Amino acid sequence: MLRTQGAKLDRIAGHLLHSGATGSPETVMTLRAAAGEALALAAPDTAAVYLARALAENPERQLRSALMLELATAEHACGSPAAIEHYEEVRRLSDDPAARARAALAVAELGWFATGDNARYLALSDLALADIGAGDQGAQLRAEAARAGYMLYDPRASASFRQRVPELERLRREGGAGARPLALVLAAYKAQTDAGTEAVVASSEQGWDSGAYLSDGEPPMFLPQVLGALLAVDELDRASAVIDELWTRARRSGSVIEYLLASAHQTLLHVLRGELASASEEAHAGYARAVEVNNQLAALTMLFYIGDVLIERPDAGDLAQLADTFELGPLADLQFGAFLKATRARLRFAAGRRSEAVADMRSAGAAQRACAFTNPIGCPAWRSQLALMLGRSEHSEALQLVNEELRDAERSGMPRRIGVAVRALGLLTEDWETSRRHLEQAVTILGGSPARLEHARALVELGAALRRHNQRAGARLVLRDGLDLADRCGAVRLADRAYSELAATGARPRRQRVTGREALTASELRVAHMAAEGQSSKDIAQALFVTTRTVDSHLNRIYSKLGISSRARLQEALAG
């Protein structure tokens, strides 16, 4: 009846979901078309329901294989673990080598995110390459990129990867648009091995292709490469533009994986810009979503990206505990496990567990050396951090580590890295005049960089050193600047230290900001503006991939900080 009345597909499909299977080709066709409409409306979960019902009609083998691939793709988008099983069935059913290859790469991607079992998924990328053969250059290049990505972060395969780099570079240069994924993998490799910002940006731009990477439907698994590469070389504005487009795409498509990628790298961007309160909020939301969809790698990435948040903010104590107890499983053998060990080392050192901290950082450093990473995305400045953990007890090794890091940093030309290494050198140098010069140099270098948190740390270290050497007037000037900047960064523990150091000089430091527009985090400010524009809590939640309860919690904190009691006064309070 609905068909004869020209009803919309979703109404007809809604009835078919409740009907019994009769082996009807017409039912399969209707449900498949309805699933296509649902995907276009960013509802992959609804599409998956329609496709599962279509399969209950028991279509012939090749149609079943095609439907199974569409079902797995929809489940992939909404983060369902059932996608792996259905992709595996495509490999069993399909006579189409291209479909089998696509399924193999998808299983590898989803399984890698879920468990990090690198050896298995490296083997699957080899199977995909065998299925593709020489006929489909684009598919072949994607499979090559997947294989390279698995090898890049595996210390056991790193030497083989480096031997293949010249061939991969040739494929990148000659592959045209099909080489986009490979260009992104090579961008990450160049960033972590200090090939130079210009080379990193060139590879990133080839792969990202002014956003064509997303619009042409390239696999999202390679996006961490371009985002990590740009963030590793402090190209923060470029990275921010990519993240913004990824957010837009994730909202439009409903893809949980794209949401998690955007969330993780938005978190790291906040950290690198010294916006720790916003990073803490984003990390809490992203980590919870990653656990909900069993994405182990995304959960792990969220934890090691927020090392500074875990060190500086008491409100991240729950995440710090998770970082300390996270079960690595197969990820322990990969760089990602090493990155988390570096974060654990910092947490354990801060808690007074020095021997454990040193062991963890040494293990993390060994993994970086095995992959020849001098600028690892997830484990920045590990050598200077280890040096400060060793301190006076192993002074010669500590100085050697810092000087090695400084040489690499100077070769990269990145102020953030140079300033961090020079600050560590100042803290380790025994001669006071030389130490002071290094600390002053670190303050100057970091003051001209986007590294606000590292600048605040250098100011506080210099101020504390001046205070210890009874140069109180100079210490007060520097510590006031350090306190103000630490406060603006949301670095609670650093601000507390600066406050105590200032008080020790005889000064009367001001208290931290807790009210007014400046007290709003970036997430709170975003919610406040959307609410002020008249959007409902439900609309805001859908746009930001959070629950309405989270939005209402944000609004309650916003009202408290702005001294208002309802939405009606938001616009006025924000303008003020």
Side-chain angles (χ1 to χ4, degrees):
M1 287 172 62
L2 288 170
R3 281 197 183 97
T4 59
Q5 294 168 14
K8 292 184 177 180
L9 277 173
D10 61 332
R11 287 195 64 202
I12 299 173
H15 282 266
L16 289 173
L17 290 177
H18 295 284
S19 67
T22 61
S24 164
E26 187 178 25
T27 296
V28 172
M29 180 180 69
T30 302
L31 288 165
R32 191 180 192 185
E37 284 193 357
L39 286 172
L41 293 170
D45 49 347
T46 302
V49 172
Y50 291 157
L51 290 163
R53 172 63 185 82
L55 283 163
E57 295 294 323
N58 197 26
E60 54 87 17
R61 186 169 183 267
Q62 284 310 303
L63 179 56
R64 181 176 182 82
S65 171
L67 288 169
M68 192 68 71
L69 182 58
E70 290 168 18
L71 171 60
T73 303
E75 290 169 333
H76 191 162
C78 57
S80 170
I84 294 179
E85 176 188 343
H86 292 140
Y87 277 128
E88 293 277 23
E89 189 163 350
V90 171
R91 284 194 56 75
R92 290 192 297 271
L93 288 172
S94 182
D95 294 329
D96 179 5
R100 287 201 306 271
R102 179 180 167 189
L105 292 176
V107 169
E109 177 185 342
L110 284 170
W112 193 55
F113 278 128
T115 68
D117 187 353
N118 213 51
R120 181 185 175 202
Y121 303 122
L122 190 54
L124 275 171
S125 65
D126 288 339
L127 286 175
L129 278 166
D131 271 331
I132 294 164
D136 186 341
Q137 186 189 35
Q140 188 177 35
L141 287 169
R142 279 191 289 276
E144 284 282 8
R147 192 172 189 278
Y150 298 135
M151 295 174 75
L152 174 60
Y153 294 99
D154 189 337
R156 299 163 299 188
S158 179
S160 298
F161 172 83
R162 292 196 296 276
Q163 288 175 356
R164 293 214 67 225
V165 166
E167 173 63 11
L168 296 175
E169 281 287 1
R170 184 190 67 77
L171 293 172
R172 177 190 67 79
R173 288 192 303 271
E174 298 174 1
R180 288 173 185 152
L182 189 55
L184 299 187
V185 174
L186 289 168
Y189 172 69
K190 291 170 185 177
Q192 295 181 108
T193 54
D194 279 324
T197 299
E198 187 177 335
V200 172
V201 170
S203 278
S204 298
E205 287 185 340
Q206 178 189 346
W208 178 240
D209 200 5
S210 301
Y213 185 94
L214 278 182
S215 59
D216 287 356
E218 294 282 9
M221 71 173 292
F222 300 103
L223 290 171
Q225 312 290 352
V226 64
L227 289 167
L230 292 172
L231 292 169
V233 295
D234 260 354
E235 288 288 329
L236 304 189
D237 290 341
R238 290 179 191 270
S240 181
V242 175
I243 292 168
D244 287 345
E245 289 201 42
L246 185 53
W247 276 126
T248 301
R249 162 69 178 259
R251 290 170 188 138
R252 189 167 60 241
S253 68
S255 169
V256 174
I257 285 183
E258 288 173 7
Y259 160 75
L260 289 172
L261 294 178
S263 179
H265 291 91
Q266 183 68 62
T267 299
L268 180 56
L269 180 62
H270 282 316
V271 170
L272 294 174
R273 284 179 168 166
E275 300 163 349
L276 300 193
S278 297
S280 178
E281 289 191 30
E282 191 70 65
H284 275 93
Y287 183 87
R289 192 74 175 105
V291 170
E292 183 182 332
V293 299
N294 192 35
N295 193 319
Q296 285 284 93
L297 186 58
L300 178 66
T301 301
M302 202 72 71
L303 292 177
F304 66 67
Y305 273 173
I306 57 169
D308 285 323
V309 175
L310 304 183
I311 293 293
E312 297 291 353
R313 292 190 63 83
D315 67 354
D318 55 337
L319 294 177
Q321 179 63 27
L322 288 166
D324 193 50
T325 58
F326 192 95
E327 288 291 336
L328 288 169
L331 289 165
D333 295 325
L334 306 182
Q335 286 292 347
F336 308 104
F339 294 157
L340 185 64
K341 288 177 186 176
T343 297
R344 282 179 177 168
R346 297 177 65 193
L347 289 169
R348 290 170 177 176
F349 186 72
R353 297 157 63 183
R354 179 181 174 278
S355 60
E356 291 176 80
V358 168
D360 282 336
M361 195 62 86
R362 286 194 189 281
S363 177
Q368 312 318 317
R369 291 193 190 281
C371 289
F373 288 174
T374 51
N375 182 31
I377 293 167
C379 183
W382 70 267
R383 286 168 291 188
S384 62
Q385 291 174 31
L386 175 57
L388 293 174
M389 291 174 186
L390 297 173
R392 306 288 182 199
S393 62
E394 296 168 85
H395 195 242
S396 176
E397 182 188 356
L399 283 174
Q400 181 180 342
L401 284 164
V402 171
N403 281 308
E404 179 186 321
E405 184 172 286
L406 181 56
R407 284 194 299 274
D408 287 334
E410 288 175 337
R411 190 173 73 252
S412 77
M414 288 176 58
R416 181 193 301 270
R417 292 173 59 194
I418 297 169
V420 168
V422 170
R423 184 184 68 218
L425 193 57
L427 293 172
L428 289 168
T429 300
E430 295 174 334
D431 175 71
W432 162 236
E433 291 299 327
T434 307
S435 171
R436 184 180 67 182
R437 282 198 303 274
H438 286 318
L439 291 172
E440 288 172 343
Q441 184 185 5
V443 167
T444 301
I445 293 168
L446 291 165
S449 80
R452 297 195 312 156
L453 176 61
E454 301 300 351
H455 185 207
R457 286 172 170 158
L459 286 165
V460 174
E461 292 293 0
L462 175 59
L466 290 169
R467 197 269 307 161
R468 287 194 299 272
H469 285 81
N470 208 30
Q471 298 181 23
R472 296 192 173 194
R476 286 176 195 143
L477 290 172
V478 176
L479 287 167
R480 281 197 181 98
D481 287 343
L483 173 59
D484 182 68
L485 187 52
D487 187 6
R488 290 176 183 276
C489 289
V492 176
R493 292 190 174 100
L494 182 63
D496 286 346
R497 183 182 170 208
Y499 188 95
S500 299
E501 290 284 354
L502 256 177
T505 69
R508 295 181 179 179
R510 60 158 180 79
R511 293 290 175 182
Q512 298 171 348
R513 300 178 188 85
V514 292
T515 61
R517 190 179 185 281
E518 279 196 338
L520 297 179
T521 67
S523 297
E524 288 168 349
L525 195 58
R526 186 162 62 237
V527 169
H529 279 301
M530 295 172 80
E533 291 167 0
Q535 295 189 45
S536 69
S537 293
K538 183 179 179 182
D539 291 338
I540 296 169
Q542 288 177 339
L544 300 181
F545 278 85
V546 296
T547 64
T548 53
R549 183 177 177 182
T550 299
V551 172
D552 290 337
S553 297
H554 275 316
L555 287 170
N556 287 333
R557 290 196 297 274
I558 290 163
Y559 298 156
S560 175
K561 291 180 179 181
L562 295 180
I564 60 176
S565 57
S566 70
R567 291 178 186 238
R569 294 188 56 201
L570 264 176
Q571 206 158 36
E572 176 191 352
L574 290 171

